[in-house]
Amino acid sequence: MTVEIRPSQALKLWHDVTLDLVRGGDADLSARQMTILMTVYLEAPPHTVRGLAEKLGVTKPAITRALDTMGRLKLVARRRDDKDRRNVIVQRTVEGALYLERVGDLIVAKAGALPR
Amino acid sequence: MTVEIRPSQALKLWHDVTLDLVRGGDADLSARQMTILMTVYLEAPPHTVRGLAEKLGVTKPAITRALDTMGRLKLVARRRDDKDRRNVIVQRTVEGALYLERVGDLIVAKAGALPR
DNA sequence: GAAAACTGTCTCGGGCCCGAAATGATCGGG
DNA sequence: CCCGATCATTTCGGGCCCGAGACAGTTTTC
């Protein structure tokens, strides 16, 4: 299976998916929040505030605020690290996994509907 | 050329692209702004405030504010419709076209680097 | 055990975005 | 010619996000 795509198709795919996400209005995540969410679910744990801040190239308070908002939405959870109680470990949730699963399926569907 | 992709690949692709956009920090567009930008550049003109509001499922002031911000960034331009001077027509700009071209190339590059 | 280093969070001032409603400009039917 | 309909924008009150810097808790170093 190959993932070949032309720039014009790529943009149309991006457009179709973001349009659905905006219209759905479920979560209304910012680009940063979406990136944090995907990083937590796609990359190997553990995920800390500092680690996420470095990876995204933003300040730590920005990560804290994003985790506050996404925690309210039940998309992620926080837990103190027992090994080093200074650290906060970002954990996945069932709701977050389901949300990303829907996003993945949406992308696949839009990719399949793309003109050849 | 086919555009087949599995959900896990789709999510990784989305993650890789948004991470680059967040880290780059060029524009920092919200999901709505990005959707507006792509709609203006991918769909046939003319584009009006009301038409964009209906398409995205948001209020007209939200479109006006997005156009204000993106106008400051030179990504789109506004012009009065001479046929019906109540309408405002959203126009493309060179900067906007270049921005989307970079996004398209970024998606293609990330798609090509995806594990099979 | 005290001090330095490190973590995440809070505070501050400023800016942007939100939807609802009001406003100003323009068009069109009667 | 006028009054209602239709544009886009502005106003309003409220909320979230931003980075810089201060802060409290924890660990490590000496």
Side-chain angles (χ1 to χ4, degrees):
Chain A
M1 167 175 308
T2 62
V3 182
E4 298 173 13
I5 191 169
R6 283 178 278 109
S8 64
Q9 287 179 315
L11 283 178
K12 174 161 176 45
L13 172 60
W14 212 260
H15 169 259
D16 293 347
V17 174
T18 52
L19 179 58
D20 258 44
L21 291 177
V22 167
R23 288 195 60 90
D26 330 80
D28 197 24
L29 297 181
S30 72
R32 287 188 183 180
Q33 292 168 341
M34 182 62 111
T35 307
I36 292 172
L37 186 65
M38 301 188 116
T39 299
V40 169
Y41 280 81
L42 294 180
E43 304 201 348
H47 298 283
T48 65
V49 172
R50 171 163 185 77
L52 290 171
E54 278 183 357
K55 180 173 284 286
L56 300 204
V58 301
T59 60
K60 286 189 296 178
I63 301 294
T64 294
R65 282 186 296 262
L67 293 181
D68 289 343
T69 300
M70 297 167 72
R72 262 177 255 131
L73 298 172
K74 311 275 190 190
L75 294 177
V76 295
R78 269 187 271 217
R79 181 174 57 88
R80 276 283 165 192
D81 182 358
D82 288 328
K83 303 286 187 178
D84 184 342
R85 298 190 54 77
R86 288 173 300 184
N87 291 331
V88 161
I89 295 182
V90 183
Q91 291 185 296
R92 303 168 185 171
T93 66
V94 175
E95 291 88 343
L98 289 176
Y99 177 81
L100 277 190
E101 189 179 323
R102 290 198 303 115
V103 173
D105 290 344
L106 176 62
I107 301 171
V108 170
K110 294 299 183 185
L114 235 41
R116 305 287 160 120
Chain B
M1 167 175 308
T2 63
V3 182
E4 299 173 14
I5 189 169
R6 283 179 279 110
S8 63
Q9 288 178 316
L11 283 178
K12 174 161 176 46
L13 171 61
W14 211 262
H15 170 259
D16 292 348
V17 173
T18 52
L19 179 58
D20 257 45
L21 291 177
V22 167
R23 287 195 61 90
D26 330 81
D28 197 24
L29 297 182
S30 72
R32 288 189 181 180
Q33 291 168 342
M34 181 63 110
T35 306
I36 292 173
L37 187 64
M38 300 188 120
T39 299
V40 168
Y41 280 81
L42 293 180
E43 304 201 349
H47 298 284
T48 65
V49 172
R50 171 163 187 76
L52 290 170
E54 278 183 0
K55 180 173 285 290
L56 299 204
V58 300
T59 60
K60 286 190 296 179
I63 301 295
T64 294
R65 282 185 294 261
L67 293 180
D68 289 344
T69 300
M70 297 167 72
R72 261 177 255 132
L73 298 172
K74 310 276 190 191
L75 295 178
V76 296
R78 269 188 273 218
R79 181 174 56 87
R80 276 285 165 191
D81 181 0
D82 288 329
K83 304 284 187 176
D84 184 343
R85 298 191 54 75
R86 288 173 301 182
N87 291 330
V88 161
I89 296 182
V90 183
Q91 291 187 297
R92 303 168 185 170
T93 65
V94 175
E95 290 88 343
L98 290 176
Y99 176 81
L100 278 191
E101 189 178 321
R102 289 199 304 115
V103 174
D105 290 344
L106 176 61
I107 300 172
V108 171
K110 294 299 182 185
L114 234 41
R116 304 284 161 129

